[in-house]
Structures are given as C-alpha cells and as structure tokens.
DNA sequence: TTGGAAAGTCAACAAGGCTGACTTAAAACC
DNA sequence: GGTTTTAAGTCAGCCTTGTTGACTTTCCAA
C-alpha cells in the first residue's frame, strides 16, 4: 500500500524514505520528546506548576510584552485553558500583565524577576540536555535536525517560528 | 551564567552551542512535535480513542507478542493507566491478549485485523508528514535529525530504541 | 453611538496521568 | 510441598490540562 520506495527523480532509490526509515523517525520523535520534557517536569514538581505553566513562561520570556491573544495563538490552546495557568502565574507574582499603552483592552505580558528566575532554572535544565545532544551529534547533524523539524511544522507555525528566530538576536 | 560560547578543544568557537541556538532547538521540538501528533489526533477523534491508545497500538504492531510489562516499560506509564487503555482496545476487538506459552502469567499482545487497520490509518497519516519533511530536508539532514534525537534520549531508552531499530528489518 | 474585539470568568466535562490497596494465578525458590 | 515473588488485573480517588458554552466588562473604531 505504501512502500515508500518510490522511484526518485534521478532514478535513484530514496532509501531514507522507506516505511521502515519513517517509522524509526516516528519512534525517535516519541522517545526524544519524552526525554526533552522530563528535566523541566522534574523541576516543576517542586513548585506547584505543570508543563502548561512552563510553556507560558517560555514564550513570555521569549517575546516580552506579547499579548494574551498572541500567546494563545502560539500555544494553540483555548482562552479558558490559558487563563487558568496565567492567573496562577500572575497571582504568584511570576508574570506581570500590564494594560496596553496603545490599546487599553490588551494586556502585555512580562516576567517578573521571580518569573525570570524560574525560567532560567527550567531552561538551564533543558539546554543542558540539548547541548549534550548537539555536542555528541556535531554541527552538521544539528543543521539537519533543525531542517527536518522545520519542514515538519505546519506552515503558519513555521512562519511564526522563523520570525521569532530572526527577531530575537 | 551560561553563555554557551565555551572555547572549543581546537580553539574554534562552537557557534551551534550558543544559548540562542539551543533555544531555537527547544522551540523547534515543541512546534514540530505538536504538528507530528496532530494528524493521528484528528483521526482518533472519529473513533473513541486518544493518543494513549495510539501509542499502545503502535508498539504492539511494532513488536507483536510483547508482554504487558514490556509495553509498560516502553511507554513509561503505570499499570493502571495502561490497563484502562488496553481494556478498551481488547473489548473493542483491536488487540488480542494471549496467555503466554512458556509463562502462563504473561499475556502476549497482538493486533487483530481490525487493530491493524486502525494502525495503518494512523501511521499512514503520520508517515505522510514525516515523508514530506524528509523529502524537503534531504538524506543528509535526515541522518543529522536522527543523530540528535538519539543523543537526546535517556540511555536506557536509547538502547531499547536501537534494539528495536536493528531488530525489525 | 453602536458593533465587534480583547480579556476575563464561571461551570461542567473528558482524557490520561498518578498513588494506594488488594486479588488471582503461576512460577520460582528452598 | 510450602512459601515467596512475579505478572496481570482491578477498584477508588485524585490531579493537570485540555475542551465547550455562556456571559460580562472594557474599549477601539467605523
């Protein structure tokens, strides 16, 4: 039904596109992603937070002053779901929601010092693993890694990702 | 605190290990993984199943006859959590749990034809995206992609992954 | 001045994790 | 042969994080 061994343009067999190769990639994604989230998860247990809080903190740190709507779009969850998380972070003094200057309906989100401290703790753990993997695999592998991941994203998100990539120098 | 611009052994600056590069990698993982799971998720909505059922089906298909304990170790969840999922799949006739031949305490898990049909539907969708990403990025990128993901896994899981990789030809 | 957008909130629900306690059957050990 | 351990299964209850639906307040803009 789906052998993957489709004849290539140049007549070359695309061995890296066989079903078996694709399955390996699928499993690698599953196992690697689980490892990737495990370090921050362990840290978050000590606080009263979960993965959802981590994601909010990450993107607020990344784009300080972004609006709730923008964060909603980035995270891909509902307003109600994000609100629960955001309220906890604001109440606990990790995130500040300032009334928009141009448009007073908007809330611009910023990390407080306390929020930045947690962000650093979480991202340090995550970067440590990422750094070890990058170092083990080497620069060429890292380029390929990023290329495949980008190609896998939905186009809208890819644009957003690339804008963020180019923006934050 | 953590500039990432550590001097290399050869005196060369490791640009691919800067904090910024690592953060890009972290975000790429997040966005790509979400896209990666979205196709099967959409299909599963039509049935009464979720991501947990998909994972069980995937690994039973991959290693037919594996025991409940082995599946537990692969998925990294509790017995109670898996049981809920597995019971539904057995009751609905997608998975068969045969009493072990050597050890009658064990249950060897197999997909039924119905189970295989759903597995195919799910993995077709996931492989279609993976194939498009692989094709867009090219063989060299795919090699790098797999290398980084493997390096990111926890060692125990990596061994398990590699065994599965080498086993299923 | 009125329509619509941004934000926030309440309530209820579902999936899928978790812990703890306990049973049954069978293997393994002594 | 009796005891201990292991594999599986189950019940109950809890938590996080997602969902829908309904509704309010504020405020920009046509």
């Amino acid at each position: 039904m789906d052998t993957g061994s489709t004849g290539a343009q140049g007549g070359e067999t695309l061995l890296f596109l066989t079903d078996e190769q694709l399955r390996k990639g699928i499993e690698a994604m599953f196992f690697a992603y689980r490892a990737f989230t495990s370090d921050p998860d362990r840290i978050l247990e000590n606080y009263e937070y979960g993965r959802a809080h981590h994601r909010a903190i990450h993107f607020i740190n990344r784009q300080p002053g972004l609006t709730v709507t923008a964060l909603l779009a980035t995270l891909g969850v509902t307003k109600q779901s994000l609100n629960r998380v955001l309220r906890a972070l604001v109440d606990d003094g990790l995130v500040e929601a300032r009334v928009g200057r141009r448009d007073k309906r908007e809330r611009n989100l910023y990390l407080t010092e306390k929020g930045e401290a947690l962000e650093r703790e979480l991202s340090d753990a995550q970067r440590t693993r990422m750094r070890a993997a990058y170092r083990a695999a080497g620069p060429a592998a890292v380029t390929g890694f990023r290329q495949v991941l980008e190609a896998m994203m939905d186009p809208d998100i890819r644009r957003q990702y690339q804008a963020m990539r180019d923006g934050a120098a």
Side-chain angles (χ1 to χ4, degrees), chain A:
Chain A
M1 146 169 270
D2 183 11
T3 67
S5 52
T6 39
Q9 290 89 329
E12 182 200 340
T13 304
L14 298 175
L15 280 175
F16 73 114
L17 288 174
T18 62
D19 271 21
E20 190 49 29
Q21 287 301 311
L22 296 167
R23 275 183 202 278
K24 301 294 168 51
I26 288 167
E27 275 164 17
M29 276 296 278
F30 171 65
F31 290 129
Y33 193 79
R34 193 172 54 188
F36 166 76
T37 54
S38 65
D39 308 306
D41 281 355
R42 250 189 306 278
I43 293 169
L44 289 159
E45 275 175 22
N46 305 330
Y47 306 82
E48 299 266 76
Y49 301 128
R51 216 176 274 188
H53 302 84
H54 180 195
R55 293 200 279 260
I57 287 172
H58 173 95
F59 287 109
I60 294 171
N61 175 253
R62 203 69 163 129
Q63 292 167 279
L66 93 171
T67 63
V68 174
T69 308
L71 182 54
L72 237 35
T74 301
L75 295 175
V77 298
T78 58
K79 186 176 45 161
Q80 295 89 329
S81 196
L82 176 59
N83 197 254
R84 186 163 37 197
V85 163
L86 220 42
R87 203 187 330 172
L89 293 174
V90 170
D91 288 354
D92 296 354
L94 284 99
V95 167
E96 198 187 343
R98 295 186 208 150
V99 171
R101 290 213 331 133
R102 278 176 335 208
D103 188 332
K104 290 183 192 164
R105 287 172 306 181
E106 294 181 344
R107 297 289 178 277
N108 296 109
L109 303 169
Y110 299 89
L111 292 187
T112 63
E113 282 200 14
K114 198 173 160 191
E116 280 176 358
L118 179 55
E119 195 284 327
R120 223 171 298 123
E121 188 180 352
L122 291 168
S123 69
D124 272 0
Q126 209 155 29
R127 273 179 285 131
T128 294
R129 182 182 291 266
M130 195 60 86
R131 187 181 305 111
Y134 275 18
R135 206 190 295 272
V142 169
T143 301
F145 168 71
R146 290 268 301 276
Q147 281 172 348
V148 173
L149 290 185
E150 279 193 46
M152 206 153 45
M153 296 175 197
D154 284 324
D156 285 4
I157 295 290
R158 178 160 56 240
R159 274 187 286 276
Q160 201 185 315
Y161 165 81
Q162 286 169 345
M164 213 152 53
R165 193 188 58 181
D166 304 338

